[in-house]
Amino acid sequence: MPLLRHASLTRFLIARVGSITAQQMLMLAISWHMYDLTSSAWYLGLVGLFQFIPGLATTLVAGHCADRMHRGQLVAICLAAQAAIGALLAVSSMTHAVTRDLLLGLSLVLGAIRPFQMSGQQALLPMLVAQSLLARSMAFSTVVQQVCVIAGPALGGLLFATGVNALYFTCAALFCMSAAMYALIRYDHVAPPREPVTAETVLAGLRFVWSHPLLLGGISLDLFGVLFGGATALLPVYAKEILHVGPQGLGLLRCAPAVGALCVGLMLSRRAIGSGVGRKLLIAVAVYGAAIAAFGLSRSFPVSLLLLAISGGADTISVVVRQTLIQLETPDRMRGRVAAVNTLFIGASNQLGEFESGLTARAFGAVGSVVLGGCATILVSAAWSQLFKPLATRETLH
C-alpha cells in the first residue's frame, strides 16, 4: 500500500504540473486574443462571466460524481476535453477563424468542465497521503501549483513570439499528458451503493457546509475576498496601456503572484502553521487586499511585480489554511460534494470577479476598479472576524 500511494502521488504531482501549466497558458492566450480582437476591458470581463455561468449548473452535480466515480478517471476525462479545446483553437488560429464569439463559446465549455476537474482533484489528495501529513502536503501541492503558474504565463509569453498556434498546440499536448497520468492513479476506491441522483444527494454538500460555520466562513471568505480583490482580468489593460510592457510583460505580471506564493508555500511545506490559524488567515486576506490596492496605483513595472508577489504570498496562506480545514473537517464520503461547494465559491470569486473587474473598470477605469476592489477586500476581512467567530478564533488546523 505505501508503494501504491507513492506511485500514485508521483503521478498526481506530474499531472498537476502539466495541467496547471496548460491552463495558465490557455487563459493567457484567450485573454490576450480577446483583448487584441476587441480592445475592450468589458469583453475581458465577459470571458470570466462566461466561465462562471455554466459552473452554476454543473458544480453540484460534479461533486456528486466525485463521490461516486473514481476521482482520477473523472479528472482525466476533463483534461482530455480541454486538450480538444486547445487543438480546436490552434486550428482556428491557423485558418484565421478565431472570433470574439468563438472565444466566448469555448469559455462556456471550459466553465462547464472545470467544476468536475476541481471537485475530483480536491477530493483526491487526501486519499494519497496520511492525514497527519495533509497540511504539509497541501502546502507542497500549492508550491507545485505556483511553480506552474510561474512557468505557464512565462512560457506562454515566449511562445507568443513564435505564434499563438504553437501556444495552443503546446496546451493540447500538456493536457493529453496530464490526462494519461490521472487515469493511472490508484487508491482504495470502494464504489458506494448505487442510489438515484436526487436533489437531496446533490445538495448534501451545501447543507453540510451551511451547518458548519467554520467551513462556511472559510469558503465565503475566499468568495468575497477574491471577488472584490481580483485584478487578473485587467492585467492585459495594465500591460498594454498603463505599464506599456506588451504580451511578454503580461506573462510576467500573470506569474508574479505565483513567485510570492511559491516562497510562502515552500515555508509552509516545511513547517505548517501551528497556532492562531484563524487570526493569521484573516490577516493574510487583509494583506492581500492592501497589496492589490497598491498595485492599482503603481506606475512602475518592478514595483507592480513586487506588489503582485506580496498578494500571491498572502493568498497562499489563506489557501493552505482554508483547504486543510475543509479536508480535515469533512468525512471522505462527503469530500467530493463539499469540494464542489468550494469549487462553486472559487469559481464565483475568480470568474465572477473578472466580470466585476470589467464592469467596474467600465464605470471607474481600470485603476479605480483595482483600488476599490483591494480596499473592499480589507473590509471583508474585518467583517468576517466578527461574523464567523469559530473561524476567527480557531487555534490549530487539527
Side-chain angles (χ1 to χ4, degrees), residues 248-313:
Q248 287 73 30
L250 173 61
L252 292 176
L253 289 171
R254 287 291 296 263
C255 71
V259 174
L262 174 62
C263 295
V264 173
L266 284 171
M267 290 189 296
L268 295 178
S269 67
R270 293 176 60 87
R271 184 177 180 181
I273 297 175
S275 61
V277 295
R279 183 179 68 257
K280 292 173 182 176
L281 168 62
L282 292 169
I283 291 173
V285 172
V287 171
Y288 170 83
I292 291 297
F295 164 77
L297 296 171
S298 173
R299 294 296 180 274
S300 165
F301 185 53
V303 171
S304 296
L305 292 176
L306 176 62
L307 290 168
L308 288 175
I310 292 172
S311 74

Side-chain angles (χ1 to χ4, degrees), residues 344-356:
L344 180 62
F345 279 62
I346 290 173
S349 63
N350 292 331
Q351 275 77 54
L352 194 57
E354 290 182 11
F355 175 69
E356 180 270 339

Side-chain angles (χ1 to χ4, degrees), residues 77-359:
I77 294 170
C78 297
L79 294 178
Q82 290 174 74
I85 290 173
L88 174 61
L89 282 168
V91 173
S92 299
S93 180
M94 290 174 62
T95 57
H96 305 288
V98 176
T99 64
R100 178 194 67 192
D101 292 339
L102 176 64
L103 294 176
L104 291 176
L106 291 178
S107 294
L108 280 172
V109 178
L110 287 171
I113 293 171
R114 202 151 291 163
F116 291 89
Q117 177 189 339
M118 294 182 67
S119 297
Q121 281 178 174
Q122 290 180 35
L124 183 57
L125 182 58
M127 307 304 298
L128 304 179
V129 298
Q131 193 174 89
S132 60
L133 298 175
L134 184 58
R136 291 174 62 186
S137 299
M138 199 73 68
F140 185 72
S141 178
T142 301
V143 169
V144 171
Q145 175 178 334
Q146 299 309 328
V147 169
C148 300
V149 171
I150 294 170
L155 179 59
L158 292 174
L159 287 173
F160 253 116
T162 62
V164 72
N165 304 335
L167 177 54
Y168 285 132
F169 275 125
T170 302
C171 289
L174 287 173
F175 278 129
C176 286
M177 180 274 293
S178 301
M181 289 291 101
Y182 270 111
L184 293 172
I185 288 177
R186 300 290 180 268
Y187 65 94
D188 290 335
H189 171 65
V190 179
R194 289 189 176 275
E195 58 179 332
V197 180
T198 64
E200 183 178 355
T201 59
V202 170
L203 296 175
L206 273 175
R207 288 199 303 272
F208 185 85
V209 170
W210 186 262
S211 64
H212 290 72
L214 185 143
L215 296 183
L216 180 61
I219 293 176
S220 61
L221 176 65
D222 176 74
L223 167 63
F224 289 101
V226 179
L227 173 64
F228 295 123
T232 303
L234 298 179
L235 289 182
V237 181
Y238 271 80
K240 189 171 184 178
E241 298 179 4
I242 297 176
L243 299 174
H244 307 290
V245 291
Q248 287 73 30
L250 173 61
L252 292 176
L253 289 171
R254 287 291 296 263
C255 71
V259 174
L262 174 62
C263 295
V264 173
L266 284 171
M267 290 189 296
L268 295 178
S269 67
R270 293 176 60 87
R271 184 177 180 181
I273 297 175
S275 61
V277 295
R279 183 179 68 257
K280 292 173 182 176
L281 168 62
L282 292 169
I283 291 173
V285 172
V287 171
Y288 170 83
I292 291 297
F295 164 77
L297 296 171
S298 173
R299 294 296 180 274
S300 165
F301 185 53
V303 171
S304 296
L305 292 176
L306 176 62
L307 290 168
L308 288 175
I310 292 172
S311 74
D315 187 51
T316 296
I317 296 174
S318 170
V319 168
V320 171
V321 171
R322 286 186 297 99
Q323 296 292 345
T324 304
L325 286 175
I326 289 169
Q327 300 296 349
L328 292 175
E329 297 289 321
T330 306
D332 180 64
R333 63 181 176 80
M334 290 291 300
R335 279 197 175 113
R337 281 166 286 185
V338 171
V341 176
N342 190 37
T343 297
L344 180 62
F345 279 62
I346 290 173
S349 63
N350 292 331
Q351 275 77 54
L352 194 57
E354 290 182 11
F355 175 69
E356 180 270 339
S357 295
L359 186 64

